[in-house]
Amino acid sequence: MERASSSGDADGAGLHGARDRCVRPVPDELPAGPGRPDGRDRRLGAPRDVRLLWSSNAADALGTQMSGVAFPLLLLGLGHPPTAVGLLAGAGMLVTVVCGPVVAVAADRGLRKPVMAGSAAVAAVAMAAVALSAADGRPPFALLLGALLVERTATACFEAAARGTVALVAAPREVPRVVAGLEAGDRAALVAGPLLGGVLYQVARPLPFAADALSYVVTALCVRSMRSDLRAGSPATAPGGGPAPSGDPAAGHAASAPDPSPPDPDTTRPPGTPVSATAAGAAPAPGTESPGTLPAPLRALRSYARETLAGLALVRSSPRLRLVLVWTTTVNAALAGLYYSALFALQDAGGAAAMGLVLAASGGAGLAGAVAAPAVVRRVGGARALVAATWLTVPPAAGLAWAGSPWSLGLCFGAFCLLLAPATVVVQSAAIADTPHHLQARTGALLATAVVGAGAGSPVVAGALATHAGPAATPAVCALALALLALFTGLRAGRLRPGGRP
């Protein structure tokens, strides 16, 4: 299952709002601490679980990249028009946007591990069905569409539930290293996956889909094998009703942070007011129904919708997370625009082979940047690394306006991805640290939806600019947007440091 990427990933970055009860200052190196307020560490198998998380992510990303290349080849090889490929891609994106925020509520309420393992198993069955149908000769388009929608729905559920796993299996000090490992796995899959998918498809059409199904099985087994408590649940309270004390800053933060969902009228009634049917869990006594009372199913739906929007309430109340939102959406929009600009430029300069070279160079550079990111952040500091990396992405983005050969395009794109990796690690790590455990999935779903929306419009804008203003227009606009983002990030960078201005 693909993770939303903000070079990248959408789990975001963190900035600081000391005045907000639901956010706290995040230093460049987060202190370690024990696990739960009851004295039991929720990270029972932390090092082992981190390795399982890395393995599941790498296997999943590799399988997704392989089938992602093979699916369009299969459709086109069966005689379906390019519009069919676009239809499938659009349907998959729509499912991801719709399902993520809904499933995130269940994950934050304690069902993270069952949803992750079950979604991976369902996705494995869907891809196995595609492999079997491809081996049978000419699978009907309706079957392929149905299998893809099932797989995309399962993927969206997995992604929504998986957000927040890092905070539950890793100590705060280890979060940047764990995030960097996940980013490295994604980058390695980006380099090797398309190549393996193409080779396997040439050997036999079902093989890439069978490999993707196997990757989902590996993912499900890794999740099931984790020993850490992945149930974030609601904020813990002490016996007296207040927040439970804890030596873990992350745990204490989650324990003291209120759920920013708007209060339900039934739970804030004055003393002595009769409890409504929904609040009490039973039908109201005859004659006590209020004329304006909604039926129980509608009240439950309204309550669930309110919980779904809790991530939005948190982002609105936190200056740090608002900066995360601006940074991730701007970077992803620019990255998508630059990608399509390079694609248009390479139409007459090598075609598919040249684009493969550019993607391989950018994937390898991103992998190197992700591996080096923890050391860079430790040496330079999170805030300085973020600001410097954002400024340094401007020259390679602008260089794409004048790059004409595949080699120069690959060099500029590779430099862009190399510099973006440390910034992505800082952004994701800070957002994880700044979000309470019981809101990780919902906040991540909001950021991921914003990233998808930002990236969706970039191809249209890039195509229009290339048609009406020439091939250099899109890189120039992206470079300007990145320069403005770097200026904005520099002005707000103090919020990444302890004691920063809210």
Side-chain angles (χ1 to χ4, degrees), residues 266 269 272-282 284-285 288:
D266 283 343
R269 63 189 183 284
T273 304
V275 180
S276 71
T278 302
T288 63

Side-chain angles (χ1 to χ4, degrees), residues 53 143 186 442:
L53 182 62
L143 187 149
D186 286 341
R442 281 171 280 179

Side-chain angles (χ1 to χ4, degrees), residues 6-470:
S6 75
S7 80
D9 221 11
D11 276 0
L15 319 152
H16 153 146
R19 59 183 170 82
D20 301 315
R21 290 188 63 211
C22 53
V23 292
R24 60 185 170 83
V26 178
D28 286 339
E29 286 193 29
L30 300 173
R36 293 166 51 168
D38 60 5
R40 291 179 294 146
D41 195 340
R42 71 163 57 242
R43 299 179 290 269
L44 297 177
R48 175 179 177 272
D49 286 352
V50 168
R51 290 192 295 270
L52 287 171
L53 182 62
W54 283 342
S55 300
S56 65
N57 177 75
D60 174 35
L62 182 63
T64 297
Q65 291 293 335
M66 287 190 290
S67 63
V69 168
F71 229 115
L73 294 176
L74 175 63
L75 290 173
L76 295 174
L78 293 173
H80 297 294
T83 53
V85 179
L87 173 64
L88 287 178
M93 182 179 294
L94 179 62
V95 166
T96 300
V97 171
V98 171
C99 291
V102 176
V103 177
V105 177
D108 279 339
R109 294 308 182 198
L111 296 178
R112 178 172 281 105
K113 191 170 184 177
V115 171
M116 290 172 65
S119 298
V122 171
V125 172
M127 295 311 296
V130 174
L132 291 174
S133 63
D136 195 37
R138 290 187 58 85
F141 181 75
L143 187 149
L144 295 177
L145 176 61
L148 181 69
L149 289 180
V150 170
E151 188 264 349
R152 286 289 90 198
T153 302
T155 294
C157 294
F158 182 95
E159 289 174 353
R163 297 182 184 105
T165 305
V166 172
L168 298 174
V169 302
R173 181 178 296 168
E174 294 296 309
V175 166
R177 183 178 69 89
V178 175
V179 171
L182 295 173
E183 185 76 5
D186 286 341
R187 293 299 169 181
L190 182 62
V191 174
L195 175 62
L196 289 175
V199 171
L200 290 176
Y201 186 82
Q202 292 297 324
V203 174
R205 289 196 308 186
L207 285 182
F209 308 108
D212 195 16
L214 179 61
S215 76
Y216 284 128
V217 172
V218 171
T219 298
L221 292 176
C222 288
V223 172
R224 292 286 298 171
S225 300
M226 289 182 181
R227 296 173 182 168
S228 297
D229 183 5
L230 302 184
R231 297 170 296 175
S234 300
T237 54
S246 171
D248 185 353
H253 176 49
S256 61
D259 191 326
S261 306
D264 193 313
D266 283 343
T267 62
T268 56
R269 63 189 183 284
T273 304
V275 180
S276 71
T278 302
T288 63
E289 296 91 348
S290 155
T293 300
L294 292 173
L298 291 181
R299 294 179 63 80
L301 183 61
R302 185 179 66 176
S303 176
Y304 199 86
R306 186 181 295 113
E307 289 197 56
T308 302
L309 296 176
L312 176 61
L314 176 64
V315 172
R316 290 177 59 187
S317 67
S318 169
R320 299 163 63 91
L321 293 178
R322 290 200 299 271
L323 176 55
V324 173
L325 185 63
V326 171
W327 195 93
T328 53
T329 52
T330 304
V331 165
N332 275 275
L335 184 61
L338 293 173
Y339 170 82
Y340 280 94
S341 174
L343 185 64
F344 300 148
L346 288 171
Q347 282 182 324
D348 300 323
M355 196 64 206
L357 172 64
V358 172
L359 289 177
S362 61
L367 174 59
V371 171
V376 171
V377 173
R378 281 196 303 269
R379 181 177 296 272
V380 179
R384 292 190 187 94
L386 178 62
V387 175
T390 308
W391 274 114
L392 289 173
T393 58
V394 177
L400 288 169
W402 290 276
S405 68
W407 293 103
S408 57
L409 285 168
L411 179 63
C412 291
F413 224 95
F416 185 87
C417 293
L418 174 69
L419 294 165
L420 206 58
T424 299
V425 170
V426 172
V427 165
Q428 293 176 19
S429 302
I432 290 171
D434 205 55
T435 304
H437 288 171
H438 67 284
L439 290 175
Q440 288 275 345
R442 281 171 280 179
T443 305
L446 170 68
L447 295 174
T449 301
V451 165
V452 171
S458 294
V460 178
V461 175
L465 288 174
T467 301
H468 300 290

